[in-house]
């Protein structure tokens, strides 16, 4: 029920789903599970205790489930999981987990990992995330649903990226990014929120105005941050987008500090922040 090229090497024990296509030069390890309709175009390596969901497509020279780049790792049976319909382009690397985390590296459904992007051990990449070319995620990074990370950006170990956040190309991210945040630069600074991403997902004008006001209060106005946070909770109670940002900020399980606010000159995007839909 699957199409396997004669030059592909599929180990005994691998589970190959209905309608899979495994192209020339591919290598599939003995503990791999491929869901229905998975396509490995050519010269793809899938190894370790790795599961690819239904409809995943993997382009040439990508490697999935290889051992983590962690000197403490001694070939323990950690895992790697890729969600349904995710697209993995050329030379992408997704490593299985180390022994210092949850035991699984996961990429959600309907993601796109562009050419040469890297997902390190123990990362959790949620549904609908896009990693542009050459993005580098360090170990234990969490990227929430719908986030976009621009080309060449580097995200430090244990950083958390909130839902629908946007990271500009070539950014150096060392601190946590709240939901809907837009960051830019090295080191990355919070310069606004992902207005376009919110509009594409049905946010109303009133919601955007409210989020803008809350964003200004939290990250632009003077005074003690804790006091501003409390004021935002009281002023915007019942506003779900603002409450999501506040919940992220208050989450004590985060291991890094919150990204600092900053400014970005208009010429960097070829227009004003407002024209590009990404200003605060």
């Amino acid at each position: 029920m699957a199409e396997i090229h004669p030059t592909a090497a599929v180990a005994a024990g691998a589970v190959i789903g209905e309608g899979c296509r495994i192209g020339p030069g591919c290598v599939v390890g003995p503990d791999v599970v491929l869901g229905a309709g998975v396509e490995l175009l050519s010269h793809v390596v899938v190894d370790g205790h790795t599961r690819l969901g239904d409809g995943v497509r993997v382009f040439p020279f990508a490697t999935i489930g290889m051992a983590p780049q962690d000197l403490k790792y001694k070939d323990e049976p950690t895992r790697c999981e890729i969600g349904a319909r995710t697209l993995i382009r050329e030379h992408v690397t997704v490593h299985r987990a180390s022994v210092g985390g949850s035991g699984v590296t996961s990429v959600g459904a309907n993601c796109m990992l562009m050419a040469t992007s890297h997902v390190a051990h123990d990362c959790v990449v949620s549904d609908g995330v896009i990693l542009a070319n050459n993005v580098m995620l360090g170990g234990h990074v969490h990227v929430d649903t719908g986030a976009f990370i621009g080309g060449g950006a580097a995200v430090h170990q244990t950083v958390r990226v909130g839902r629908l956040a946007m990271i500009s190309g070539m950014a150096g991210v060392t601190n946590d990014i709240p939901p809907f945040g837009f960051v830019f630069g090295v080191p990355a600074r919070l310069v606004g929120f992902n207005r376009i991403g919110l509009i594409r997902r049905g946010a109303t004008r009133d919601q955007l105005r409210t989020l803008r006001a809350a964003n200004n209060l939290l990250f632009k106005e003077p005074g003690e941050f804790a006091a501003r946070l409390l004021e935002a909770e009281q002023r915007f109670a019942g506003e779900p987008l603002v409450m999501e940002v506040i919940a992220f900020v208050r989450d004590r399980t985060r291991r890094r500090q919150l990204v600092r606010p900053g400014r970005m000159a208009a010429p960097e995007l070829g227009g004003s922040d407002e024209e590009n839909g990404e200003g605060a």
Side-chain angles (χ1 to χ4, degrees):
M1 302 298 291
E3 180 181 329
I4 302 175
H5 194 274
T7 63
V10 179
V15 178
I16 309 300
E18 181 178 356
C20 286
R21 300 179 62 187
I22 301 176
C26 292
V27 178
V28 179
D31 299 308
V32 169
V33 177
L34 303 183
V38 167
E39 183 176 8
L40 312 180
L41 271 73
S42 73
H43 302 91
V44 172
V45 176
V46 186
D47 197 15
H49 293 265
T50 297
R51 177 184 293 271
L52 273 59
D54 295 351
V56 168
R57 297 186 72 210
V58 188
F59 278 65
F61 305 106
T63 62
I64 304 172
M66 301 295 283
Q69 297 176 134
D70 184 344
L71 293 174
K72 300 185 297 297
Y73 182 75
K74 304 301 179 186
D75 206 30
E76 293 88 353
T78 55
R79 295 182 292 131
C80 178
E81 297 180 357
I82 309 294
R85 298 172 302 282
T86 282
L87 178 63
I88 298 176
R89 293 303 304 253
E90 298 85 350
H91 296 276
V92 166
T93 51
V94 183
H95 290 168
R96 62 182 180 261
S98 69
V99 292
S102 65
V104 59
T105 301
S106 65
V107 176
N110 301 305
C111 295
M112 180 164 62
L113 279 54
M114 297 187 195
T116 70
S117 56
H118 172 63
V119 179
H121 60 84
D122 301 282
C123 284
V124 177
V125 178
S126 300
D127 296 346
V129 168
I130 297 177
L131 307 183
N133 296 58
N134 305 308
V135 165
M136 297 166 284
L137 301 185
H140 305 271
V141 167
H142 284 222
V143 183
D144 211 340
T145 304
F148 175 86
I149 304 181
V155 183
H156 198 280
Q157 292 93 334
T158 72
V159 160
R160 294 182 63 176
V161 179
R163 185 172 74 92
L164 286 178
M166 182 174 181
I167 297 173
S168 72
M170 305 300 291
V173 181
T174 58
N175 292 314
D176 290 352
I177 302 170
F180 326 119
F182 172 54
V183 302
F184 178 88
V186 181
R189 292 289 184 260
L190 185 69
V191 296
F193 67 95
N194 185 10
R195 179 174 177 270
I196 295 300
L198 285 161
I199 290 173
R200 288 173 177 169
R201 286 160 180 81
T204 66
R205 289 182 178 273
D206 286 343
Q207 287 178 314
L208 293 175
R209 291 192 192 99
T210 300
L211 188 59
R212 179 187 294 275
N215 189 72
N216 289 340
L217 170 60
L218 288 169
F219 303 113
K220 287 192 170 185
E221 293 188 9
E224 184 183 0
F225 182 74
R228 301 200 308 272
L229 185 62
L230 181 60
E231 181 181 347
E233 280 184 307
Q234 296 170 347
R235 185 191 302 183
F236 300 105
E239 296 290 342
L241 297 183
V242 179
M243 291 298 103
E244 185 174 344
V245 174
I246 291 174
F248 181 95
V249 173
R250 288 201 179 279
D251 186 353
R252 294 187 178 181
T253 66
R254 292 190 301 107
R255 298 170 63 180
R256 292 199 167 270
Q257 296 181 349
L258 199 65
V259 65
R260 295 183 180 182
R263 301 189 66 181
M264 182 178 66
E268 299 289 355
L269 282 178
S272 69
D273 288 345
E274 183 68 23
E275 287 168 349
N276 287 281
E278 294 155 345

